[in-house]
Amino acid sequence: MKRHGNLWPQVIAFENLLMASRQAQRGKRFRANVLAFNYRLELELLRLQTELKNLTYQPGAYRTFRIRDPKPRMISAAPYRDRVVHHALCNVIVPLLDRTLIGDTYANRLGYGTHQALKKFTGWARHYRYCLQCDIQKYFPSIDHEILKAIIHQRIKCSETLWLIETIIDASNEQIPVIEYFPGDDLLTPVQRRRGLPIGNLTSQFFANLYLSPFDHFAKRQLKLTKYLRYVDDFAAFSNDRQVLAEARLVMEEQLATLRLKMHPIKSQLCETRYGVNFVGFRILPDRIRVRNDNLQRSRRRMKALQRQYAAGEIDLEPLTRRLQSWEAHLMHADTHRLRRKIFDRWVFVRNQESGVRSQERNTEDTKGVELEVDTYNSHEPF
């Protein structure tokens, strides 16, 4: 296995830091912290460069908040200058380490994504009788720091770059508590080992992909599951032999234990594809693709929120249109022609001269009962 060295000059190069600052501000350019940083851009980047050169850089405190969409999650936002460092690091290490991943892992990779994963999953679901579909329980909070660092050390030998990676990992804030025991543990092991990566970091997204890479290769090479794919912590395998998948699941659970991970006891299941299978927010059936019902409720809430924002003058017509078009494009990957007509005929955005904007809702047939699915890990849905 090739280990990459002499990466540090590329990481701390001023040109790389400048490019990282441009990447970090996409969609956030007019926020106060970004404007303050950009007001003294060269000085701020030189200061970051000096701290990195001297190995004195230390990440700042995270700002955390909780969401429930569709289930409770804790989101952590790093200070803006730290996000610049994350981009600078990923600009160098991601192109090198991404090639070590299997070709059928689709999350957070250039040229891959939700819809490519859906296309591959649908093709296999319609050619094979059985699907083993699994989900890892509390994935991000369960990622073990010691194991993650060992995986990275197998691929990178540049000491300064490793120092920065470990500094970012060690600065991870406290995540949702996960107390799980694995073979060889004593009573205190689960509380002694540091675990968890903050959802929201660019580095966390890539490290999460890298963490399961050994498991992916194990599934492909050792278990001979040629029809295997993964999207973050959701993975699936297909076969016409049910027994092959049933036996593979038991071995997979043992292999995941070496990474101190456990399968979700409810979401992991072996089923026949003819009855339909859920994946990245869609339900794949033999003759059509639907969108999940639980996402209909989220879409309604988001539409109402957009109406309120438009009414308060917090969002203009152009960004509003882009968001709606993005969501419609996502729905077009399923058989949703009538559903899209119902949704977009129902919601209207009207400006009011007196109060700014007044939203109206046409009295059309309710969409209750129509299958609208876009479940996702951290929302695959772009809307």
Side-chain angles (χ1 to χ4, degrees):
M1 181 182 296
K2 182 178 180 180
R3 298 179 69 213
H4 301 278
N6 196 31
L7 305 177
W8 194 236
Q10 302 173 55
V11 174
I12 65 174
F14 186 85
E15 293 79 8
N16 185 42
L17 292 173
L18 179 60
M19 179 169 61
S21 70
R22 291 169 178 165
Q23 294 166 330
Q25 70 178 349
R26 286 175 185 166
K28 309 175 183 70
R29 189 173 53 175
F30 297 109
R31 294 184 181 180
N33 57 344
V34 179
L35 290 171
F37 189 93
N38 287 344
Y39 183 72
R40 305 176 60 200
L41 181 60
E42 290 189 7
L43 290 176
E44 292 287 357
L45 293 180
L46 288 171
R47 179 184 169 196
L48 266 181
Q49 187 183 48
T50 300
E51 291 179 11
L52 292 170
K53 278 182 179 179
N54 298 334
L55 306 185
T56 58
Y57 164 77
Q58 286 299 317
Y62 285 92
R63 179 174 58 86
T64 63
F65 54 95
R66 296 182 182 274
I67 63 171
R68 187 177 181 83
D69 190 15
K71 61 184 180 181
R73 300 186 191 278
M74 187 178 79
I75 307 297
S76 303
Y80 178 69
R81 74 191 304 265
D82 292 340
R83 297 203 297 271
V84 173
V85 174
H86 297 166
H87 277 276
L89 173 65
C90 288
N91 285 344
V92 176
I93 68 171
V94 169
L96 299 175
L97 302 187
D98 184 79
R99 65 187 67 163
T100 68
L101 304 177
I102 65 169
D104 287 313
T105 180
Y106 290 87
N108 308 311
R109 301 180 71 187
L110 187 64
Y112 287 75
T114 304
H115 301 136
Q116 290 297 320
L118 175 66
K119 182 178 180 181
K120 179 60 69 73
F121 187 97
T122 302
W124 286 345
R126 290 177 175 174
H127 284 85
Y128 292 89
R129 184 175 178 182
Y130 296 102
C131 173
L132 173 63
Q133 189 172 19
C134 303
D135 178 273
I136 295 177
Q137 189 167 257
K138 297 180 180 178
Y139 180 49
F140 273 78
S142 299
I143 293 176
D144 187 273
H145 289 191
E146 184 178 331
I147 296 175
L148 175 60
K149 291 176 184 178
I151 292 173
I152 295 172
H153 274 261
Q154 292 174 358
R155 294 163 171 79
I156 294 177
K157 61 182 179 181
C158 175
S159 59
E160 294 91 347
T161 304
L162 288 171
W163 166 82
L164 178 58
I165 291 172
E166 293 181 359
T167 297
I168 293 172
I169 293 173
D170 292 339
S172 300
N173 58 339
E174 188 69 26
Q175 301 296 301
I176 299 171
V178 179
I179 304 297
E180 298 284 359
Y181 289 88
F182 297 90
D185 286 358
D186 58 32
L187 183 63
L188 297 178
T189 300
V191 296
Q192 290 174 338
R193 299 181 70 100
R194 288 210 62 197
R195 298 177 309 279
L197 295 179
I199 297 176
N201 273 8
L202 179 67
T203 50
S204 297
Q205 296 169 17
F206 179 68
F207 292 156
N209 256 359
L210 200 62
Y211 193 78
L212 278 175
S213 181
F215 177 79
D216 294 337
H217 286 285
F218 175 83
K220 287 274 194 178
R221 296 176 182 175
Q222 303 299 319
L223 298 182
K224 309 298 183 184
L225 297 174
T226 56
K227 309 308 178 186
Y228 166 93
L229 58 78
R230 177 169 64 86
Y231 190 94
V232 192
D233 61 333
D234 295 325
F235 57 92
F238 294 86
S239 176
N240 286 322
D241 189 333
R242 190 181 191 281
Q243 189 62 27
V244 167
L245 296 180
E247 293 174 358
R249 173 174 178 165
L250 298 176
V251 181
M252 283 178 163
E253 289 178 336
E254 295 176 359
Q255 185 66 17
L256 285 174
T258 66
L259 297 173
R260 302 189 66 82
L261 298 173
K262 288 191 175 182
M263 285 187 189
H264 196 289
I266 298 175
K267 295 181 180 179
S268 301
Q269 55 188 338
L270 175 55
C271 57
E272 288 192 61
T273 55
R274 62 175 173 165
Y275 297 118
V277 191
N278 295 333
F279 188 65
V280 294
F282 295 90
R283 183 165 183 79
I284 295 87
L285 296 158
D287 59 342
R288 62 195 181 279
I289 302 174
R290 295 284 182 86
V291 191
R292 294 184 39 164
N293 286 330
D294 56 357
N295 199 64
L296 176 58
Q297 300 301 323
R298 293 203 298 276
S299 70
R300 286 173 174 166
R301 291 196 297 270
R302 290 170 183 173
M303 283 287 196
K304 289 179 180 178
L306 283 175
Q307 284 187 326
R308 288 194 297 269
Q309 292 170 10
Y310 193 64
E314 297 173 0
I315 185 171
D316 294 327
L317 181 61
E318 185 178 350
L320 171 65
T321 303
R322 284 201 302 268
R323 292 188 63 177
L324 295 177
Q325 288 175 339
S326 175
W327 187 52
E328 183 181 22
H330 179 71
L331 294 181
M332 288 175 69
H333 287 271
D335 301 306
T336 57
H337 176 71
R338 288 192 302 167
L339 173 62
R340 283 181 279 123
R341 290 283 303 273
K342 285 178 179 288
I343 292 174
F344 290 107
D345 284 347
R346 178 183 180 189
W347 298 95
V348 183
F349 301 83
V350 181
R351 290 214 177 262
N352 187 306
Q353 296 296 330
E354 297 179 359
S355 59
V357 179
R358 174 172 49 86
S359 63
Q360 298 179 346
E361 180 177 342
R362 289 178 182 167
N363 293 322
T364 59
E365 181 181 351
D366 195 353
T367 55
K368 182 178 180 181
V370 181
E371 287 194 39
L372 174 63
E373 313 174 30
V374 182
D375 175 348
T376 107
Y377 169 45
N378 283 341
S379 201
H380 310 303
E381 175 191 7
F383 174 55

